[in-house]
C-alpha cells in the first residue's frame, strides 16, 4: 500500500521535520508540499539541509489526489483549511491547536477568537497515539497533541486512570527554541538565548493547560490539577519535564514505577527507565521516543517523574506520522525511530 | 585601608573568578595565589583570559602577611588548611562545604568521612550575607554558602521567618556547567552537554540539602521541607531555581511579593522584580545579584518564585567578597557589580 | 575632571556595552541615553542585565550639556546626527561606518547612497587608537573602526609600514552573532545559528574591505591586497581572524614575531603572545584587548598571524572609550580592562 | 545479500555513529560490537540515545562469522587488530590513521613509532570513495580517510588532476568537538569550548597533512602544497574548510566552478552549489554529503572554495559504510542519506 500525502505549511520547523520523515517513509508518496510564502521555490532554498522538494501554492494543491493531508499551519488558518479539505476527500492530521479542544468556549477563552469550524470539533480525535489508538482507524480528522502536553500527559495517563495521583501536580518543563517557531523574534535571537535560561507563561497561563485539563478530566473522576511552568532552554530541540506527583495513600515511587513500566511494556515509543535513572534530552533527540524516569522525592506521598521527548518528533511530526500509521493500518513504527 | 588577601586553590573556576574580582577591588592587595598542581606558572597559563598572577606552592605562602585567606579547595582539604591558617593569624573565608554544617554527624552523613577539624564547626559563621550580616564583623571563619543553597534560601528567608510557608517546597534548579568544576569528566565534555539537558541527584539526595535544612530549621519553628531537583544546563554559568511554595492561610502570591519586596528593599544585591516578571540568567550573569520573581500558580495556596544568580559570583566568589567587605567594615558593594 | 557624555542609539548591542562601560568609568558622567524606539523606558526594560538608565527621545537630548556624544546609530542616520551635534558643541565619536572613508565616492560605492554630510569627511580621524593617537587630542569627530577591520589592521600596521608584506594577504575571520545587530533576522535565529557555522560576503565584498584598503594605502607605498572571508560563529561575541601573510625577502615568521612584539611593547591593549601560541576568543572576551599570535606556515615566504578581540569592546564600545580617553587627555586604560 | 559486520572500538563517537548506521542498513547484520573497556554492558549504557547493542570483549568476537570488520580504535591498536583479523577471514575497514600512509617512514615521522604491521601498508586502499571506487571491490583492507583530509581533498581532486592549481593552497578548517574524541580533556570541557573559538596545530603540523600530501602527489605531477590551519568550533559536529586556491593561467573561479560541477555531476554524495552560494554546516549535518561552494576572491588568479561535511559521517562512519557498499557491490547510497 502507498499512502499519498500532502503537507500544508511546509517551511516551518515542524513542516521541515515532517517532510524529511515522509520522504524516508517506505509506504508514503509525498504528492505535494504547499507554502503560501515560498511557493515556486524548493524546500532546500528555505533550509540548506532539506530534501529538494518543490513548494506549491496551497490553492494549487491537488487535494483530490491524496489520502491524507498534514496541516502545519498557524491556528485558525488550520481550521479553515481542514474544513475545506474534509469536503474534498482526504483525511486530515492537524498539527496546530485548532481541534484539540472539544469545547468552542474553551477555544475562545484560550485563543481569543471564535473557532472557524466549530461543527468539526466533535468529530476530531485527540491523537495522543498511545491513548487514542482504538479511535484512529476510523478517524477522518486527528488533532495532534501539543509538545509540552505530550510530555506531561503520557506519564500521567496510567496514573490518573487508577487514581494514583490527585491534588496538584507540578510540571516544570524546559523546551528547546524550535518550539517557538521559525519567525524571527527578539526572544529567539541567538544572542538573547545563548548563555541564557528563562521561564515564561508560568502557572496556569500557557495554552497547553487547556488540552491537559481536558485530557485529565476525561481519564479520571478526580483529576489532578496541573501547575505548569515552561522555560526556554538554549538548545535547538527537545523537551524535558520534571513532574512532582502527589500520591494517593498506598502509593509510593516504587509502585508508580511498576505501574508505568507495566502500562508501557508493549509500547515501541515509550521507554520507562530502570528505577532511579533520569530521562534526559540525549535519550530522545531525533527519535519518536518519550523516555520516562521515576524517582523518590525524599518524603512520603510524593514521586518525581522525569519525561523527555523531541518536540519536533514525538511532540509534533513524529507523532503525526505515528497517527497516520495507525489510521491506515500500518505498524506504528513504520518510518520512525523507536 | 588595604586588606591583604591570599587565595588557596587558585586554578579552579571559583578561584579564577575570585582572583579577577580581588585584582579589581580598590581596597585589596592580593598577596599570593597558591596552587598545588600549577605552582611556578602564571594564572594566565591556566586560563587565557586571567590576570598575570604567579602561582606559588601552598606551603610557601606568606600566611603571616595576610589579613584574610580565601579557600577554593576540595572539601576536607579545605578544613585542614583552615585549621592551619587560623593558628597563624589570618581570618578565613572557606568556599568549600567544610564549615557549612554545624553538626559533625551531618557532615559524616553527607560527605562520607569524619570532619577533619570538628572543633572549628561551632565557630564558623554561615555566610549568607544578607542574613549573617550582624555576625560577620566578629567572624574569624566564614563558611560561604553553596550556589544552589543561596538561590533557594535567599527568597525563602523572609517567608520562613514569618510562617508564610510550610509543608513541602519544591525547588527545581538548573545550573550552568562551571558548577561541576574544572576537572574534565565525561558528563562535562562539550559533546555530552551541548544540545542536552539532564536532571541529576533528584529528590533529597544532593549535598546542598543539608545546609538548606539547617538554615530553615534555624529560621522557623515549623520549617518547610525542601524537595530539590538540580539539572545541568548547557551554559557556562548561572543558576535559575523555580520554587513552588505552599502558602499558609491568609497568604497569596501578592502578599508573598509584598513581603519579599519589603524584606529586600534596602539590599544592594537582591532585586525583587515587578509582579509577574520572571527572573532569568540574563538578569544576573557576571554580577553579584540575586534576582527574584513572584508569580501566581493558578490555584489558591501556592505561589511560584523564580530566583536567579551567577553561580560563580553571588553563588561563590562574589558572595565571598561581599562577606569580606562586611567582615572588614567596608561597604558590601565595594568591588562588586550590583 | 569629569567628562559629560551622551549616547545616541542606546539599545543595540553596541549601545548596551558602551553604557555599561561609561557607567563604570570613574571620570565620566553619563548625562543621557537616547533611543528613538524605546524612549520613556529604562534601558533595563530592553536588556535584563543592563543598568537602570532612562531612555529619552533624541530630540530631547540636552546636547549643550555634554562634552562628547557617542553615536551607535545605523549608517546615514549617524552622519546626519553628527552634523547636527557638531554645530551644537560636543565632540563626536561615531561607531557607525559613516566617517571611516575619506572619499565620498567610496562611500557611495559601498553604501549605495550619497553621503549625508560629505563636508565632514575630511575632518574625521579614523580612530584605530594605537595608530591615530597623535591626532586624537585635537579631534572633534572620530570614526571608530569596524570590528573586523580592527582585528585585521592592528597586526598588519607594523608589517605594512616596513614593507614586510605585500601581495595578497588572506584574512579568514570568524565573528560572534552580536556583530550582526539586535534586530531579529532569520540568519540570527537561535535555531539557525546553533550547531551551524557559515561563511558570508566572501572575497572582497564585505564593506569593511573599504576601510582596510584605505588604511593600508595610507601606511604603505606598496600595500598588500586583503582577501577577506567573514564567517558567522555560534557564539555571542568575539572575533578571531587567521591571517596568511606573504613575506618580503629577508622576512620569516620569527622576524614577524619580533617586529610585532617590538611595535606593541608598550601598548596596554595589544598583547603579542609567545611564539607558537595561538590567539583565541578566551584571551579577549569582555576586555579591550587585541591578542596576536605568530606562527610558521610550514613553507618559506609565508607567516600565519592569529588575531582575536571582542567585537563589542575593542571592536566597538571599548575602542570608542579608549579614543575618548585619548581625546580628553586621560590615560587610555581608564575604565577599561587591559 | 546480507553482509555480516563487526565493530571494534564501539564506544567512541565514531563507533556510536557507525553502529547507528549499521543498525539501520537494510543489507547488514551487525554480528557484534566490541569494547575493551565496557564489555558486558549495553551500548545504551554508554550513550543514552544509542541502540541496545551488547558490548563484548574484543577477544571473544566471533571473527570467523563476519564478512567485514570496522575498526574504530586508536592508531597502533588498529594496525595490530587489522593484522590479526586479516589472518582470520574478514575484510577490514580501518577508521584510524594506521593504513592511510603507504610509507612506513612517513608513519614514523608523524606518529612517533614504528608501524606495527608495515607489510600491510602496500595492500591498503586509501578509501576516499569517489576517487578509490575502482579499487574497492577487490580491496581486503581499506584505510578510511581523515575527516579534515576528506573536506580538503574532495574539492581539490578534480583541480589538481588537470593542473588548475599549484603553488600554495591555504586550507582554513573549522571542526566540531566530536572530532577530538570522547575521552574527557580540559580542552573539550564544556566551559572551555562554549563561547570560545581556538586555532590549533597551525601551519603544516597537523597529522592530516601527511595523507593530504600523499594524495596530491599521486594525483598531480606538480601538486600544490597545502598550508592547513584547523580551529575548534563550539559545535558538536561538522567541518567547514575555506580553501584559498591559486589558479593556473587561463583559470578563474567560473572555470573552477564548471570543472567541479562537471566532475561531481553524477556523485550522490558531493553537491556543488550554484555559483556564489557558500557551503555551511547546515547543508551537511547527519548526512553523508560533502557540499562545495566556489567563490571569486576579488582578484585574478585566486578562487575561494568552501567545503562542508559532517566529520562523523562523510568524515568517518558514513564514508566507511559507503566504502563497504562499494566493496560488496551494493549501491553506494544504501543505508546513507544523500
Amino acid at each position: 500500500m502507498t499512502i499519498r500525502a500532502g503537507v500544508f505549511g511546509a517551511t516551518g520547523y515542524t513542516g521541515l521535520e515532517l517532510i524529511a520523515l515522509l520522504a524516508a517513509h517506505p509506504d508514503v508518496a509525498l504528492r505535494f508540499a504547499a507554502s503560501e510564502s515560498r511557493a515556486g521555490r524548493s524546500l532546500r532554498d528555505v533550509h540548506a539541509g532539506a530534501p529538494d522538494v518543490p513548494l506549491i501554492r496551497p490553492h494549487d494543491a491537488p487535494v483530490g489526489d491524496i489520502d491524507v493531508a498534514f496541516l502545519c499551519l498557524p491556528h485558525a488558518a488550520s481550521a479553515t483549511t481542514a474544513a475545506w479539505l474534509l469536503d474534498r476527500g482526504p483525511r486530515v492530521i492537524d498539527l496546530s491547536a485548532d481541534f484539540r479542544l472539544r469545547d468552542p468556549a474553551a477555544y475562545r477563552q484560550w485563543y481569543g477568537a471564535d473557532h472557524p469550524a466549530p461543527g468539526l470539533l466533535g468529530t476530531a480525535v485527540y491523537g495522543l497515539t498511545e491513548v487514542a489508538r482504538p479511535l484512529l482507524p476510523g478517524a477522518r480528522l486527528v488533532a495532534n497533541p501539543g509538545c509540552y502536553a505530550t510530555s506531561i500527559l503520557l506519564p500521567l495517563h496510567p496514573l490518573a486512570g487508577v487514581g494514583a495521583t490527585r491534588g496538584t501536580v507540578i510540571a516544570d518543563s524546559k523546551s528547546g527554541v524550535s518550539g517557538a517557531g521559525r519567525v524571527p523574534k527578539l526572544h529567539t535571537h541567538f544572542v538573547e538565548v545563548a548563555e541564557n535560561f528563562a521561564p515564561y507563561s508560568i502557572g496556569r497561563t500557557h495554552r497547553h493547560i487547556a488540552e491537559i485539563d481536558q485530557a485529565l478530566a476525561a481519564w479520571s473522576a478526580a483529576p489532578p490539577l496541573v501547575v505548569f511552568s515552561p522555560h526556554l532552554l538554549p538548545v535547538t530541540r527537545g523537551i524535558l519535564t520534571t513532574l512532582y506527583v502527589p500520591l494517593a495513600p498506598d502509593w509510593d515511587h516504587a509502585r508508580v514505577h511498576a505501574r508505568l513500566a507495566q502500562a508501557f511494556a508493549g509500547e515501541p515509543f515509550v521507554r520507562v527507565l530502570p528505577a532511579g535513572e533520569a530521562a534526559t534530552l540525549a535519550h530522545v533527540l531525533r527519535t519518536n521516543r518519550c523516555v520516562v524516569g521515576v524517582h523518590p522525592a525524599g518524603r512520603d506521598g510524593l514521586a518525581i517523574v522525569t519525561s523527555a521527548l523531541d518536540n519536533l518528533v514525538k511532540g509534533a511530526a513524529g507523532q503525526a506520522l505515528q497517527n497516520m500509521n495507525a489510521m491506515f493500518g500500518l505498524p506504528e513504527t513504520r518510518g520512525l525511530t523507536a
Side-chain angles (χ1 to χ4, degrees), chain A:
Chain A
M1 176 183 56
T2 294
I3 304 169
R4 300 165 303 160
V7 174
F8 290 84
T11 61
Y13 291 125
T14 300
L16 284 165
E17 191 77 17
L18 180 62
I19 287 173
L21 289 172
L22 290 169
H25 193 295
D27 303 306
V28 168
L30 177 65
R31 282 295 157 92
F32 63 82
S35 162
E36 194 73 56
S37 60
R38 308 300 292 266
R41 314 294 300 273
S42 164
L43 188 61
R44 187 170 283 172
D45 297 330
V46 178
H47 187 73
D52 186 17
V53 172
L55 299 171
I56 65 169
R57 291 183 55 240
H59 287 288
D60 296 339
V63 299
D65 259 21
I66 56 172
D67 302 304
V68 63
F70 293 89
L71 309 187
C72 306
L73 297 167
H75 67 85
S78 215
T80 308
T81 306
W84 175 72
L85 285 165
L86 288 168
D87 282 346
R88 278 159 185 77
R91 297 162 86 177
V92 171
I93 300 175
D94 179 20
L95 287 88
S96 87
D98 274 352
F99 296 101
R100 294 180 192 157
L101 306 183
R102 302 185 75 78
D103 177 359
Y107 184 89
R108 183 182 308 116
Q109 176 194 340
W110 287 96
Y111 293 91
D114 286 332
H115 194 283
L120 291 173
L121 289 179
T123 75
V125 172
Y126 184 71
L128 190 70
T129 325
E130 285 73 13
V131 177
R133 193 170 283 143
L135 303 174
L136 291 167
R140 296 217 55 228
L141 172 58
V142 171
N144 220 53
C147 49
Y148 282 123
T150 299
S151 80
I152 292 166
L153 290 174
L154 265 182
L156 288 184
H157 178 252
L159 303 176
V162 298
T165 181
R166 56 196 184 191
T168 299
V169 168
I170 287 163
D172 194 281
S173 293
K174 302 88 177 174
S175 172
V177 183
S178 58
R182 199 162 188 253
V183 178
K185 302 275 172 63
L186 184 57
H187 75 275
T188 57
H189 191 298
F190 182 86
V191 177
E192 306 293 311
V193 174
E195 291 290 309
N196 196 4
F197 179 69
Y200 66 99
S201 301
I202 293 180
R204 287 178 48 80
T205 63
H206 188 284
R207 285 166 169 173
H208 286 191
I209 280 288
E211 63 190 279
I212 293 168
D213 282 356
Q214 175 182 279
L216 290 169
W219 298 340
S220 168
L225 187 81
V226 172
V227 167
F228 167 45
S229 300
H231 301 69
L232 190 68
L233 269 178
V235 302
T236 59
R237 50 205 284 163
I239 286 178
L240 187 123
T241 295
T242 312
L243 290 157
Y244 300 87
V245 182
L247 301 176
D250 297 332
W251 283 82
D252 63 7
H253 72 92
R255 193 172 166 202
V256 167
H257 187 262
R259 169 70 185 140
L260 292 178
Q262 170 258 322
F264 294 120
E267 288 296 344
F269 294 119
V270 186
R271 186 191 303 170
V272 179
L273 296 172
E277 283 186 27
T280 70
L281 296 192
H283 283 92
V284 299
L285 292 181
R286 293 166 218 279
T287 77
N288 197 46
R289 283 174 214 139
C290 178
V291 168
V292 176
V294 181
H295 316 263
R299 79 148 176 79
D300 291 346
L302 186 71
I304 303 177
V305 174
T306 49
S307 167
L309 53 76
D310 186 318
N311 60 301
L312 294 177
V313 192
K314 183 60 175 168
Q319 185 153 249
L321 221 64
Q322 189 184 354
N323 282 329
M324 182 203 75
N325 287 338
M327 291 164 78
F328 287 87
L330 293 173
E332 284 180 23
T333 53
R334 199 72 142 209
L336 291 167
T337 302

